[in-house]
Amino acid sequence: MYQRQIVDEATRPYYSDSLPEDILLTDDVEDIWMRDFSTVHPEGFFQFRYEPNYWDDVQDAVYVQQQFTAFAQYYGLEFTSHDFVLDGGNIVDNGKNSLVTTTRFLDDNDLRYEVGKTILEEITEMPAIAILPPDDEVMGHSDGMVMWADENTLLVNQYDEPFRSEVLGELQTAFPEVQIIEVPNQVEESEWRSFNSACGVHVNSVVTYENIYMPTFGTPAADNAEREAIAYHTPKTVHHVSAACEGPIVGIARC
């Protein structure tokens, strides 16, 4: 099964030999982190309001999302919009019944924990919701913390105590039937354009129905060890995608 793929003129040749012509949409996207302002949950397609508090001018974020909406309307993509503030990068779901986000969703919308959970359950129609304390005070995204290897296996960064117990406690309470696997978390202590580096965060991957596209950071030993660990816990094929910190910036990692 193929989903539609969005490419620009420069990257289209990399896909045209492997994918059917009718699913390749060619256009320019306003911002490199498309996951954050576009739709989430491919089985249902809904979109939250993109208004991250780390943007200096919130109107810039509004403009970026409006450009995506115009693009989606042009191609006839249908989805439901919601007025709650929630970056797409702060939603990690298993495509079926379980979803992870962080308390940034509660803070941005001035919601209590239980109220926020109920809202997400109603919007997403997913009965199992985990709301984690973020490990990054700037972005506050869950996609740098956890990744679903399959619908019943969740990979999570291995953190130091006491933060580790907070994260695992929330996950185990929300997903009692899910296998939760800790994986090494070797984040580089640096910044890029005032954002904390995501170099070393291998769970910040692109996950599709049959494949996982895992970022690599120019550290062969760590990259290969992480790929083996992820591959061991998933039936999907794990691919390396270079996000080396000395190289080009790609959308699945902040280096």
Side-chain angles (χ1 to χ4, degrees):
M1 180 196 308
Y2 290 113
Q3 293 178 305
R4 286 180 170 177
Q5 307 291 320
I6 301 170
V7 295
D8 58 20
E9 291 289 352
T11 58
R12 187 182 181 92
Y14 294 98
Y15 294 87
S16 57
D17 290 339
S18 303
L19 295 175
E21 182 73 16
D22 60 349
I23 74 160
L24 284 175
L25 308 182
T26 305
D27 212 318
D28 290 318
V29 181
E30 190 64 32
D31 188 276
I32 63 172
W33 292 335
M34 188 167 177
R35 174 182 172 93
D36 294 350
F37 56 83
S38 59
T39 56
V40 296
H41 189 36
E43 294 296 330
F45 270 147
F46 48 83
Q47 182 186 58
F48 291 95
R49 180 157 51 97
Y50 184 55
E51 196 174 295
N53 62 12
Y54 47 81
W55 278 64
D56 294 331
D57 186 348
V58 71
Q59 290 306 312
D60 290 340
V62 172
Y63 172 77
V64 166
Q65 191 166 57
Q66 287 175 341
Q67 297 310 298
F68 171 79
T69 300
F71 160 83
Q73 290 175 343
Y74 177 81
Y75 283 104
L77 305 180
E78 297 181 358
F79 54 87
T80 303
S81 297
H82 300 278
D83 199 43
F84 292 101
V85 176
L86 181 55
D87 297 4
N90 198 12
I91 291 183
V92 181
D93 67 84
N94 69 350
K96 185 178 180 182
N97 56 12
S98 302
L99 179 149
V100 183
T101 188
T102 71
T103 55
R104 179 62 58 84
F105 170 66
L106 305 180
D107 296 339
D108 285 347
N109 296 284
D110 194 24
L111 299 171
R112 299 191 311 275
Y113 176 87
E114 292 299 337
V115 174
K117 254 194 169 181
T118 299
I119 288 171
L120 288 175
E121 289 170 359
E122 292 175 351
I123 289 176
T124 66
E125 298 183 351
M126 293 188 181
I129 307 286
I131 304 179
L132 304 178
D135 68 354
D136 178 349
E137 292 303 319
V138 178
M139 302 287 285
H141 282 184
S142 58
D143 67 352
M145 301 179 67
V146 299
M147 180 186 75
W148 291 95
D150 59 45
E151 66 182 44
N152 294 309
T153 306
L154 184 67
L155 305 184
V156 56
N157 290 331
Q158 190 172 52
Y159 295 107
D160 294 331
E161 295 290 1
F163 187 73
R164 173 179 177 269
S165 291
E166 290 184 61
V167 170
L168 292 180
E170 174 67 10
L171 293 175
Q172 290 163 352
T173 300
F175 315 126
E177 304 300 322
V178 168
Q179 184 180 24
I180 298 173
I181 308 294
E182 294 179 88
V183 294
N185 180 28
Q186 303 173 2
V187 183
E188 180 180 293
E189 295 296 330
S190 63
E191 291 188 352
W192 176 75
R193 298 185 184 179
S194 78
F195 295 104
N196 293 338
S197 173
C199 291
V201 184
H202 294 89
V203 298
N204 196 0
S205 300
V206 173
V207 181
T208 66
Y209 293 117
E210 298 179 356
N211 299 281
I212 293 175
Y213 299 91
M214 186 199 83
T216 60
F217 305 100
T219 53
D223 291 338
N224 289 330
E226 196 74 11
R227 182 184 183 281
E228 290 178 5
I230 292 175
Y232 181 80
H233 293 289
T234 183
K236 302 179 182 184
T237 302
V238 181
H239 305 272
H240 279 179
V241 178
S242 176
C245 295
E246 68 274 11
I249 305 301
V250 296
I252 60 173
R254 306 183 304 277
C255 297

